[in-house]
Amino acid sequence: MKNKKWFPLLLLFVGALAIELIICNFSSWKSLFYRNRIVFENVRVDGGIETEIGPGSYLVPEGILTLHIDDVDTKVHNLFLALDFSEDVPVSYTVSLTDEGNYYPYFLPEQILMPGIRRSFYTNVHPSGKVKTIEILITVPAGNIVTVSGVCANARFPFLFSPVRFLILLGAFLFVYYLLHVNKWQTEMCRGSKKQRIITTVVIVLLIGLAWGLTHVNPICISSPWPHHRQYQELAEVMAKGQLYLDAEPSEELLNVENPYDTIYLQANGIDYFADYAYYEGKYYVYFGIVPELLLYLPVYLLTGHHMPNYAAVFLFYCGFILAVFALYREVVRRWFVHTPYFLYLLLCILTVCGGNYLFIIARPDLYDTPIMAANMFTAAGLMFWLKGKYTESIKFRRIYLLSGSLCMALVAGCRPQMLLFSALAVPLFWKEFISKHSSKRVSDAISICLPYLIVAAGIMYYNAARFGSPFDFGATYSLTSNDMTKRSFNLHQALLGLWHYLFRPPVVESDFPFLQGVQIDSASYMGKLNAEYTYGGMLICNAFLWVLFSIHRGKDILQQKRIYVFSIISIVISILLCIVDVTGAGILQRYMVDMIWGIWFAAVLVMLALFEKAKEHGGLKTLALFLMAVCLLQAVYGSGVILGNGDLSVNVRTSNPELYYSIKELVRF
C-alpha cells in the first residue's frame, strides 16, 4: 500500500527530471550528433582597429564590428562566438548567410550576447542546405574593445541542469496532480485549525518573500533617479516645517504663461516646469493621496531624518494587501461558504495577490503605485472588518469592527479617491440589517459605519481647502502632465475606448521571449486627445481566473440564497464605473487597472465558491478542478509576461536588470 501511495509521486519526479534533462537540453543532445565541427581560421574583421592588448583585440570606434567568413561550404547547425568584451553589457548581433538556396545574403533575427551567460554565445541556425558565407554584425557601445578568439560551427551546445527550472516543473506537476484528485483536497475543510494556521502563515511569509524579490527585479525603481518621483519625500520635508506647498519656486515664464497646464506649449517654448507636480496659483503641490504620507513618509522622516523610499512603501502596502486578502477570504468562507476546502481557500488567496495586475505594480514599485496599492489594501481590509462586524453578536466588538471597516474604507479617499466607490458595497452588505433591526441597533450601526467617514472627510476636506481653496478639490487636475487635465470631460467615445482597453482588449502574444508584448495604445478613430500609454491587454480577458464570471448565472441561485448576488453584481458595476472614471479623468494606463480590478476579482471569488458548492452537491467537481488547473497555469504565464514585459521603455527588466532577464531567457531556450 505504501508503495502504491508513493508510486505516482515517483513518476512525477521522474517525469520532471526527464523533461529537465532531455527536452530542456534538446539542443545540447542534438549537438552530440553533429559530425563536422569547424573552427573557422580565416575570419575577416571590419570596423575595428587592432590594439596592443593582445591578438584578436579590436577597438570599435563606430560601435559596429563585422566578422566575415567565406568559403564555408558545409552544413551549419549552430554557431559559437568566442568573443570577449571590455564592458559587461548586453551585446546585440545579427547573422547573415548565403547558402545553396539563397545566392544573395539574408539576415537572421537579431540575437543578444550577455557576458557571463555562456549559453548566450551559442545560437542554432537553420539554413537551406550547405552554407557558403557567414557574416556576423556585432553592435557594441562606441569605443569598446572586442576580443575575437574565434567562430565555431556545429559546436557542442553546453548542457545546463537548472535546479530552479526543475523545481518549478516538479512543483507544477505536483500541483496539477493534487488539484485533479478532488477527493484528496476537499476532505479538509477550511476550519482554521492550528495546522491550517501554520500552513497559512508559511504561505504568507513565502508570498512576502516573493514580493520583496519582485520589488528588486527592476533596480531602477530602487534607485529611482527621476526627480519627480521624490514628491512624497519633498512633502515630508515641508510638512515637518508646517507648510503644505513645496519649496520649489516656479520659473518666471511659468508664472506669466496664459495656460500653464498645456505642457506641450511649455516644452515647445523652453519654459521650465516640474513634471507631474500639481501647480496652483504660483505654488507647487503634491496631489497624490495624503494618507501614505501620514502613515509612512512623514513619520519615517521625523523619526530618522531619512526618507522612506517609494519601493519600500509599495512593498509594505502590498504586504498589507496580502494579509487583508487572507483575512477577508477567511471571513467569506466562515460566513457564507462553510463547506469550502482549505486548499481552495488557499488557492484563491494566492491567485488574488498574484494576479497579473498586482504583479505589475510590485515589480515596478514607484511613486505612482504607492497610493494605488495603499487603496487596495484599505479596501480589502475594510471589507474584512465589515464582514466581521456584520456577523459578530457582541455589541462592543460589532461596533469596533464596523468602525474599523469604515475607517479603512474612508482612508481610501486619502489614497486613491476614485476607489472610494467601493464604499457603496456597504449598501447591499448591510441592507437586511438596516431594514430588519429595531431602531436603537439601526442607529448604533449607522453611527459606527458613518462616523469614520465624517472624521476622515473632515481632515481631507480641510487639507484640500487649505491647498486649492475647495474641500472637494484633490488637485489632480492641476498636474503638469502630458495633457491639460483641467479641460478633461466625459466623452462617450473615449469611455467606450477605455472599457475596451481596460476590460476586453486581447493580449498581444509573440513567439519571442518574453512572449507577452506591451502595446502602445493608438486609436485612429478617436477624433480628440487621447491620453494613453500601453497595456498588456484587458484585465477581464488576460486574467484567466476572471473567466469564471461568464458562468455567474450557474451560481446565481447559490449567491441569491446567501443574499450576496446583488453584492457581487454591484462589485462588478463599481469596477466598470471606475474604468469610465479613470479614462475620463486621466486616460488609459496599465497601472490604472489596479484601481478597478478588485471589484471584478472579488466577485469572481464569490462566484467560484458558489460554483464549487453547487458542483459538490450536483456533480461537476472534476470539471471545476480542470478549470482551476488551466486558470493557474495561464495566470502564471500571464504574470510572468507582465513582470518581464518590455512595454515601458524606461522601466523594464531587460534594460534595468539584463543579467536576470537573459538568464531567464536561457531557461526557456531549448
Side-chain angles (χ1 to χ4, degrees):
M1 293 299 293
K2 290 184 177 180
N3 291 336
K4 289 184 179 180
K5 177 182 177 181
W6 291 102
F7 184 70
L9 301 181
L10 180 62
L11 284 180
L12 294 177
F13 180 87
V14 172
L17 187 62
I19 291 176
E20 171 61 33
L21 294 177
I22 300 174
I23 296 179
C24 294
N25 284 281
F26 180 72
S27 292
S28 179
W29 291 107
K30 187 173 63 171
S31 68
L32 293 176
F33 300 95
Y34 296 155
R35 297 178 180 177
N36 190 19
R37 293 184 173 86
I38 303 172
V39 177
F40 296 108
E41 297 180 354
N42 298 317
V43 178
R44 181 163 46 89
V45 180
D46 287 338
I49 302 172
E50 290 193 67
T51 69
E52 298 178 355
I53 297 176
S57 295
Y58 298 89
L59 174 68
V60 188
E62 302 295 330
I64 301 293
L65 189 74
T66 306
L67 310 181
H68 302 273
I69 304 172
D70 299 321
D71 302 322
V72 178
D73 195 32
T74 190
K75 282 187 171 293
V76 175
H77 303 283
N78 67 29
L79 293 173
F80 167 60
L81 308 182
L83 308 175
D84 289 303
F85 304 93
S86 58
E87 293 185 16
D88 288 340
V89 296
V91 174
S92 63
Y93 71 95
T94 304
V95 176
S96 64
L97 306 171
T98 61
D99 52 36
E100 288 181 313
N102 298 274
Y103 177 83
Y104 293 105
Y106 60 95
F107 288 90
L108 304 181
E110 182 182 81
Q111 301 294 312
I112 298 293
L113 298 176
M114 186 66 216
I117 302 178
R118 185 179 172 221
R119 281 167 63 96
S120 69
F121 288 75
Y122 293 78
T123 184
N124 291 316
V125 294
H126 307 283
S128 301
K130 290 183 178 181
V131 172
K132 296 181 179 179
T133 63
I134 301 173
E135 184 176 285
I136 304 167
L137 188 148
I138 303 166
T139 304
V140 297
N144 272 23
I145 294 175
V146 179
T147 301
V148 182
S149 300
V151 177
C152 305
N154 303 330
R156 289 193 175 180
F157 211 93
F159 184 88
L160 174 66
F161 178 85
S162 170
V164 173
R165 184 170 57 194
F166 170 68
L167 289 175
I168 291 174
L169 285 169
L170 182 60
F173 281 8
L174 291 172
F175 172 77
V176 170
Y177 172 78
Y178 186 71
L179 190 61
L180 293 181
H181 286 72
V182 181
N183 293 332
K184 291 185 177 181
W185 56 265
Q186 70 164 335
T187 55
E188 186 175 357
M189 296 297 103
C190 188
R191 297 285 188 260
S193 64
K194 182 179 179 181
K195 172 188 171 184
Q196 290 179 2
R197 289 197 299 270
I198 292 173
I199 294 174
T200 301
T201 301
V202 170
V203 170
I204 290 174
V205 170
L206 290 175
L207 287 171
I208 290 175
L210 173 65
W212 182 250
L214 288 176
T215 60
H216 290 75
V217 298
N218 280 297
I220 194 170
C221 292
I222 305 298
S223 59
S224 191
W226 312 283
H228 62 285
H229 281 241
R230 295 193 68 255
Q231 293 187 50
Y232 269 135
Q233 290 82 358
E234 292 171 0
L235 182 59
E237 293 177 6
V238 298
M239 289 188 75
K241 297 188 296 185
Q243 69 185 49
L244 299 178
Y245 58 88
L246 302 182
D247 288 332
E249 294 290 338
S251 63
E252 193 66 29
E253 293 85 356
L254 184 63
L255 290 169
N256 296 323
V257 73
E258 181 179 354
N259 180 11
Y261 305 108
D262 185 353
T263 55
I264 303 300
Y265 177 86
L266 300 182
Q267 294 171 21
N269 289 274
I271 299 175
D272 290 333
Y273 70 97
F274 284 14
D276 273 3
Y277 287 72
Y279 175 72
Y280 181 75
E281 294 187 350
K283 299 288 185 184
Y284 282 115
Y285 296 90
V286 175
Y287 69 86
F288 297 100
I290 186 62
V291 168
E293 178 71 48
L294 296 178
L295 286 179
L296 295 179
Y297 292 91
L298 183 58
V300 168
Y301 179 70
L302 292 176
L303 292 172
T304 68
H306 299 286
H307 287 299
M308 163 75 72
N310 294 323
Y311 81 90
V314 176
F315 169 73
L316 290 174
F317 286 129
Y318 182 78
C319 290
F321 177 67
I322 292 174
L323 295 173
V325 166
F326 273 79
L328 171 60
Y329 289 3
R330 180 73 184 93
E331 287 301 312
V332 168
V333 168
R334 285 180 63 195
R335 309 303 182 182
W336 293 332
F337 299 96
V338 294
H339 300 297
T340 299
Y342 174 68
F343 176 75
L344 182 58
Y345 156 78
L346 210 59
L347 185 60
L348 293 177
C349 290
I350 295 171
L351 281 172
T352 300
V353 300
C354 293
N357 299 92
Y358 290 114
L359 292 181
F360 175 84
I361 290 287
I362 195 63
R364 293 165 178 79
D366 59 24
L367 167 71
Y368 302 105
D369 300 327
T370 300
I372 296 175
M373 202 66 248
N376 274 268
M377 178 193 74
F378 283 123
T379 300
L383 287 172
M384 182 270 295
F385 282 121
W386 273 352
L387 264 182
K388 290 182 77 71
K390 175 183 173 70
Y391 293 102
T392 298
E393 296 297 331
S394 169
I395 296 177
K396 176 183 176 181
F397 285 105
R398 178 182 177 85
R399 290 174 181 172
I400 291 174
Y401 290 141
L402 293 179
L403 285 167
S404 299
S406 291
L407 177 62
C408 288
M409 298 299 276
L411 287 175
V412 171
C415 302
R416 197 71 173 162
Q418 55 266 52
M419 286 186 66
L420 195 62
L421 282 173
F422 284 118
S423 291
L425 290 174
V427 176
L429 188 63
F430 296 108
W431 181 262
K432 181 183 177 183
E433 282 77 2
F434 279 93
I435 294 299
S436 62
K437 280 188 178 180
H438 56 77
S439 60
S440 61
K441 287 187 177 180
R442 196 159 54 225
V443 171
S444 174
D445 287 353
I447 292 174
S448 299
I449 292 173
C450 296
L451 184 60
Y453 281 97
L454 297 175
I455 295 173
V456 173
I460 292 177
M461 291 169 75
Y462 171 80
Y463 179 64
N464 289 342
R467 297 181 302 159
F468 306 117
S470 168
F472 305 104
D473 195 340
F474 287 85
T477 55
Y478 305 124
S479 172
L480 298 178
T481 186
S482 59
N483 62 105
D484 187 347
M485 300 278 284
T486 65
K487 302 299 188 294
R488 294 187 70 89
S489 59
F490 177 79
N491 179 284
L492 181 59
H493 190 173
Q494 189 181 65
L496 293 176
L497 279 175
L499 291 174
W500 164 253
H501 288 290
Y502 279 138
L503 296 174
F504 303 111
R505 177 173 178 161
V508 176
V509 181
E510 295 185 356
S511 58
D512 296 329
F513 184 84
F515 311 115
L516 183 67
Q517 302 296 317
V519 180
Q520 181 72 37
I521 295 171
D522 180 21
S523 178
S525 65
Y526 180 66
M527 300 298 288
K529 184 70 178 288
L530 180 66
N531 182 38
E533 291 184 359
Y534 71 96
T535 71
Y536 289 103
M539 56 187 174
L540 193 59
I541 299 300
C542 295
N543 289 287
F545 177 70
L546 299 182
W547 299 349
V548 72
L549 290 175
F550 296 112
S551 296
I552 191 172
H553 61 286
R554 295 182 180 273
K556 181 178 178 180
D557 53 342
I558 301 291
L559 294 172
Q560 285 180 329
Q561 179 185 337
K562 300 177 186 297
R563 300 180 182 274
I564 54 174
Y565 178 71
V566 174
F567 178 89
S568 303
I569 296 297
I570 292 178
S571 185
I572 296 171
V573 170
I574 290 173
S575 287
I576 295 173
L577 289 175
L578 278 170
C579 292
I580 298 172
V581 169
D582 272 356
V583 72
T584 299
I588 305 172
L589 288 80
Q590 176 71 25
R591 66 174 177 269
Y592 288 172
M593 292 187 187
V594 188
D595 288 343
M596 59 203 71
I597 193 170
W598 172 253
I600 294 178
W601 200 287
F602 188 45
V605 168
L606 298 179
V607 173
M608 173 58 71
L609 291 171
L611 290 177
F612 176 83
E613 189 168 298
K614 189 168 186 176
K616 192 171 184 179
E617 294 177 2
H618 305 288
L621 284 177
K622 200 74 172 180
T623 302
L624 203 59
L626 287 170
F627 173 75
L628 279 171
M629 179 192 70
V631 161
C632 292
L633 295 177
L634 289 173
Q635 287 288 162
V637 171
Y638 180 67
S640 301
V642 168
I643 293 169
L644 298 170
N646 304 312
D648 188 341
L649 298 180
S650 61
V651 181
N652 62 72
V653 181
R654 183 180 61 188
T655 55
S656 65
N657 197 349
E659 294 85 0
L660 175 63
Y661 182 86
Y662 290 107
S663 294
I664 296 174
K665 182 178 180 180
E666 288 301 319
L667 292 180
V668 296
R669 186 163 73 109
F670 307 142

